[in-house]
Amino acid sequence: MVKYRVSIDIGGTFTDLVALNEESGEILNIKVPSTPREPAKAVIRTFREFLRKTSDAEVSVIIHATTIATNALLGQLNLELPKTALITTKGFRDIIEIGRQRRHELYNLFIQEPRTLIPRRLRFGVEERIGPKGEILTPLNKTQVKSLVQQLGRENIKTVAVALLFSYINPKHEREIGEMLKKSLPKIYVSLSSEIAPEYREYERTSTAVVNAVLTPIVSSYLNDLQRKIRRLGVKAPLCVMQSDGGIATKSIVSKKPVSMVESGPAAGVIASAFYGKLLGIGNILSFDMGGTTAKAGAIKEATPEVVSEYEVAGKVHSGRIVKGSGYPVRHPFIDLAECSAGGGTIAWVDEGKALQVGPISAGAEPGPACYGKGGKQPTVTDANVVLGRLNPRYVLGGEMKIYPELSEKAISKEICEKIRLELTEAAAGIIKIANSAMAKILRIVSVERGHDPRDFVLMCFGGAGPMHGCALAEELKITEIIVPNNPGLFSAYGLLAADFRNNLIKAVMKLMDEVNVKKIEAVFQRLELKGAKLLEKQHVPKVNMRFIRQMDLRYFGQSYELTIPTSKPLTKEVLKQAVESFHKKHMAIYGYAVKDELVELVNVKLVAVGLIEKPKLKEQPLHREKPPKEAITAKRKVFFEQNNDYNETPIYRREKLKIGNVINGPAVIEQYDATTVVYPDWMASVDRYGNIILSLRNRGN
Amino acid sequence: MPIDPITVEVIKGALTYATEEMGIALRNSAYSPNIKERMDFSCTIFDHKKRLAAQAEHIPVHLGSMQLAVQKGLEKFKGKIEDGDMILFNDPYISGTHLPDLTLICPIFYEGKIIAYSANKAHHSDVGGKAPGSMAGDATEIYQEGIIVPPVRFVKKNVIDKEIASILLSNIRTPEIRLGDLRAQMAANLLGKRRILELVDRYGIETLHKATEEIMDYSEKRMRIEIGKMPKGSYSAEDYLENTGTSNKKVKIKVTITVKKNQLLIDYTGTDEQVNGPVNAVLGVTLSGVYYVLRCLTDPSIPMNEGCYRPVKVHVPKSTLMNPTPPAPVAGGNVETSQRNVDVLLKAFAQILPEKVCAACQGTMNNIAVGGINPENGKPWTFYETIAGGFGGRKGIDGVDAVHSHMTNTMNTPIEAIEAIYPIRFLEYELRKDGGGPGKWRGGVGLERSWMLLAPSATLSVLAERTKIPPWGLYGGKPGAKGEYYVIKPNGKRVKLRSKCTIRMGKADIFLVRTPGGGGYGNPLERYPELVHRDVLDEMVSLEAAKKDYGLVINSARMEINWKSTKQLRLTKSKI
């Protein structure tokens, strides 16, 4: 029997199964078209194919990334939302609809809010009130709750969110309501805000509980169904799901708290970058993933992916940033990502003011870029790369996809050159330049805007189109080293295969650091650790693999934003002091100032319970000489480089033929099955012992 | 040599991004919630000729005032500004907005010459004056509204002038916070300066100047194309402020818009004279309303710069409500008159672009300030907020319920944050039933918000509008509900408040606000019965109002539509 770890990623176009041979480190990829209306169908196809290809496979674990949560909230793919009710404090049932009272676009008289997940008639206020110190001002009116529970039964409600004021300090009333619901209506799903997101800010906490309530029936039935079908094929491995924070959790845990996996897919690329970074001994990485329709950037600082504590699910993205108020806020750790619509299929066009624009519309998979010859008439980023000689002018995907360069030329001439006076080459180079400046911006958002200097980072370029743009972006951000991993098109899958178990626990405290009782807070941490250990046990993580990361959310008293500060065990006065010190430092780094004599407030105590998994082994190979073998050069062609503002006769290498240790001086192009790496004139490419291409900037003459 | 369009495009992106980054730096390093959480500020870059080159999408009320501020604010310094200086001022008659907005301008030098400016404006929650928050509802002259700072070199050789700072801070409540916020404004300008110098390094000064010129021409061209699509002619409208804060007299704003080929003339002739209450709007505020409306009605993706102003000629007669002369008080001009200005402009544009305009939104910001001494710690406290209301109905869609509209977009403060700090307890925060103006497309409803005072006493100030003249509907749509403000005494007695007032509250007094709704769009009798039915089930519209306003008959026992009676009732009503 050969042991495999299997990841399944359902994308908009393809469903990918990537299996890692746990002994040899080899990987196997099976790709089938996605079946959006019934996602499990494509998954089963990939499994069948996998089992056919590997006669003696034993699957140890299945790790799954899915967009089902976002799709359901966006009202896509016929995913009907379950009938959901909300119970709040009397007088406050509209908090969920009022939100933060802002509109998410300033200059739009036709602005619309995201649709309300629970109609007003299914939002109920109950008589009760807890005060800001957790004191009970009005006891819970149980008679009212009792009759409400009966009404919910009659109305055939499937799932309920309960979110009362100040429940993060005192969850008593929420728990009582929860118990009454479960007792009378055992089949109903219940999401208590004090369990799902026990943090202050009533709107965000309520919204998180509501999103969780809506998703619970959808996600649990989807995952149950998927597991049943996979089992039927004889595969008995446990099913795990990638969460938004880059950790995995088993099906049963995610089913109860689906709010943890709303951004299940995009995190994988960043986790893969972190995994490679550890392997190669690189702590600071900017992860850059460019595919067919979008580009995504993330940051890893000191081997840890950067996370944010809130996200706007199903929201809109405007110039790289997610727009507050355009979706449903969810309080949970999310891998910090910036995104823009710049991918291979992104369309270039000329606006009314005669300016060249790139995006946001994409030609998608159908018809795709003009050069695919599938009827696309609009020029895309890929077409510009064809005209500039960067992409193979005859075929891509090892010959599976034919390329028609004359169609690229025609599209650019007609749509761009004829509208603004530009030569073909100028126009193509312009398209690339504009796309690059949009992509450089998202890299800046996750670095410069977060207080990091990009020059301290290595750029990890992946996705089908990433390695083609790496050198230009690195030059823009003054980065001097780039890694192009072995299989850029499949790289994200390593994120699924290498992710640890993660469970996030939180307890609101709201106390000045000067007034904190060390023993009490230590006890809080210990209670959270106990809870975390239980969760990990349930997922069969052995004790030796459990790790507990302690954190505190701190802020200056009176501020409204917190910073998360890691802290150590056990808690002492000294440890508290250090935490305050690190807080001042981090505040300085991000916000440019610190006030040492200002009071610091402890808002939340946080614990991440981590279950380490054995990391995939990558195949290491012996070193060859520096000079690439002759057969690695497959051709020469004219490739355009901005530096010379001209085409240069450039050698084209076949990546599969390159050996470990080979060094290539730019300009050069390295082609492989699913990606093309462009080496700019001042850059040098070398192949490391795992087969990654490392691009480094040579000392420039001047 | 002409420069290539690709470089122009890349520099265009870089300038806009520089202003966005300035905003992030300002927000992140600011101290007060007003700047940090409510994001009440604007960041800009100007070229060497003091023309607006880029402005981030921050707060609309600053849109038109920045260029005036930079041009007027630097007048007296001709040639006397040095590298490392920054100019500070808040005089509304120079800065173009009210006193709490402090403007800070940083000249950017390269090889001894000014090549550009970075500038920003931020709303500080106090600049002194007779009332906490510097927004007295009953000021009769500007001297009561706070300290007036003329343009001064606040920063010299990159260091804040301690003497000027001490004069300023001696006149302000909570001086520590104000200095922190000013440092944040300084940091934002320095970042803008760094980004511009990076562009110079990369492209050279010639290219940067030429590109900026072309970017302005580009915006101008696109604005002219948009204006060219409007039907030519002259269109007038008027609307009123219901009182001035110092008298009960209503005040008229009148505007006439003339669409010419590729050009707009906007004329405020006919507007009432300036008043001795705080509702005068300085010219910058008036212009901001004009540019806000134009951005909404054209294409907001057109980059904001001086080119956008070129095709628009605005005439505002001097010494009127919309272009007052000193010493008229102006604090409320920013927050209330600015909203009415938009109402008037949209009413006029409704005749030009009937399908692109919404009915009137709530038309006020509902400014509430309350403060006193906190009995728990003996320290003074002030809480200031603005409250959302209904958005007007639009062709094809209802108005948004409970949202900030037009010139403001600031967030609310979580109840769980307010109660933890201030001696008040909230009783209700809900949508206001029957608040939206009836229409084929209903106006958005306003809010009901109430809280009880836990301290022995407090001072409450209200600065609001639309309690007498409701937000108008369009094309047969009915007006939205008027605003209401009450104090309810412990014995149950209700005291109705005026829309601009300052009163004392006692322990256990309850303050209740009902904010105005948006006007309806189209005849309510044509509203789809299913939508009215949905609103009734959701308790947004009462059974009685469904019948009276929409002609919809609902069987109250089964809560189903009685189609036959509805048809009859609608027929009868439509004949009236």
Side-chain angles (χ1 to χ4, degrees), chain A residues 437-457:
Chain A
S437 76
M439 295 189 289
K441 179 171 172 182
I442 60 168
L443 286 165
R444 283 206 177 94
I445 288 175
V446 295
S447 58
V448 181
E449 281 188 16
R450 312 287 195 253
H452 308 314
D453 187 338
R455 286 174 295 190
D456 301 335
F457 287 74

Side-chain angles (χ1 to χ4, degrees), chain A residues 588-614:
Chain A
M588 185 73 200
I590 296 181
Y591 300 147
Y593 79 105
V595 196
K596 296 261 171 171
D597 48 0
E598 188 63 71
L599 295 172
V600 175
E601 189 180 22
L602 170 58
V603 177
N604 298 308
V605 158
K606 282 175 165 175
L607 185 88
V608 190
V610 180
L612 299 177
I613 62 144
E614 203 186 320

Side-chain angles (χ1 to χ4, degrees), chain A residues 91-99 101 113 116 118-121 123, chain B residues 387-391 399-403 428-436 442-450 481 512-517 535 538-541:
Chain A
F92 299 93
R93 65 168 165 165
D94 293 325
I95 279 174
I96 188 66
E97 189 161 347
I98 300 164
Q101 80 175 8
E113 302 263 277
T116 312
I118 304 176
R120 196 166 192 237
R121 74 197 82 141
R123 307 198 294 250
Chain B
I387 310 174
F391 205 92
V400 182
D401 301 315
V403 72
E428 189 190 16
Y429 189 28
E430 290 209 342
L431 300 174
R432 179 179 177 185
K433 196 182 201 175
D434 290 331
R442 175 172 65 70
V445 305
L447 279 170
E448 298 203 2
R449 185 166 166 96
S450 67
L512 164 68
V513 190
R514 293 201 179 113
T515 64
D535 283 348
D538 279 335
E539 299 178 70
M540 301 287 270
V541 170

Side-chain angles (χ1 to χ4, degrees), chain A residues 178-436:
Chain A
E179 275 156 27
M180 289 169 79
L181 278 164
K182 279 180 200 152
K183 210 168 138 201
S184 310
L185 306 166
K187 277 196 182 156
I188 215 164
Y189 294 96
V190 178
S191 301
L192 304 184
S193 81
S194 53
E195 274 174 18
I196 302 297
E199 293 180 76
Y200 98 101
R201 288 187 185 99
E202 63 277 3
Y203 168 58
E204 286 78 1
R205 188 176 66 251
T206 306
S207 170
T208 309
V210 165
V211 169
N212 198 72
V214 167
L215 290 177
T216 321
I218 299 173
V219 169
S220 61
S221 82
Y222 165 72
L223 290 176
N224 283 335
D225 174 61
L226 184 65
Q227 182 160 56
R228 208 169 32 239
K229 285 179 174 151
I230 295 174
R231 290 214 161 144
R232 247 186 252 148
L233 298 175
V235 178
K236 304 283 185 234
L239 176 60
C240 292
V241 178
M242 178 57 118
Q243 305 175 99
S244 322
D245 67 343
I248 56 171
T250 55
K251 186 203 85 174
S252 61
I253 298 222
V254 169
S255 297
K256 280 190 201 120
K257 201 182 167 184
V259 85
S260 71
M261 50 72 79
V262 284
E263 283 291 289
S264 172
V270 180
I271 299 305
S273 298
F275 163 62
Y276 263 58
K278 266 191 195 147
L279 201 70
L280 303 174
I282 300 167
N284 295 347
I285 298 173
L286 288 181
S287 138
F288 175 70
D289 177 359
M290 181 179 174
T293 52
T294 56
K296 294 186 197 81
I300 293 142
K301 184 93 211 281
E302 283 153 19
T304 313
E306 296 266 290
V307 294
V308 289
S309 49
E310 189 177 316
Y311 186 78
E312 198 88 6
V313 182
K316 292 181 187 160
V317 174
H318 178 64
S319 64
R321 305 182 192 88
I322 194 112
V323 183
K324 238 185 150 47
S326 64
Y328 309 100
V330 159
R331 298 286 301 178
H332 186 271
F334 285 80
I335 296 276
D336 186 14
L337 286 171
E339 190 181 316
C340 67
S341 34
T346 302
I347 290 172
W349 54 289
V350 173
D351 72 14
E352 275 191 318
K354 302 272 178 212
L356 177 59
Q357 306 278 354
V358 179
I361 295 169
S362 166
E366 292 288 335
C371 62
Y372 286 5
K374 290 200 268 180
K377 296 273 183 272
Q378 313 278 358
T380 63
V381 170
T382 295
D383 291 304
N385 276 317
V386 168
V387 167
L388 299 178
R390 295 175 179 186
L391 210 61
N392 191 305
R394 280 173 303 160
Y395 60 83
V396 290
L397 293 178
E400 285 167 33
M401 175 78 81
K402 212 173 142 21
I403 295 290
Y404 303 89
E406 64 283 4
L407 294 180
S408 292
E409 288 171 17
K410 198 172 149 195
I412 295 178
S413 303
K414 195 146 180 263
E415 297 297 325
I416 313 287
C417 303
E418 279 178 24
K419 293 184 180 166
I420 34 176
R421 250 173 289 142
L422 281 178
E423 300 288 323
L424 179 65
T425 309
E426 276 179 319
I431 293 170
I432 298 300
K433 208 167 178 182
I434 290 167
N436 283 346

Side-chain angles (χ1 to χ4, degrees), chain B residues 49 51 208-217 310:
Chain B
K49 293 179 184 161
R51 294 177 302 181
L208 180 63
H209 283 333
K210 270 190 192 152
T212 313
E213 197 86 41
E214 293 218 10
I215 292 164
M216 293 176 191
D217 291 347
R310 291 177 196 159

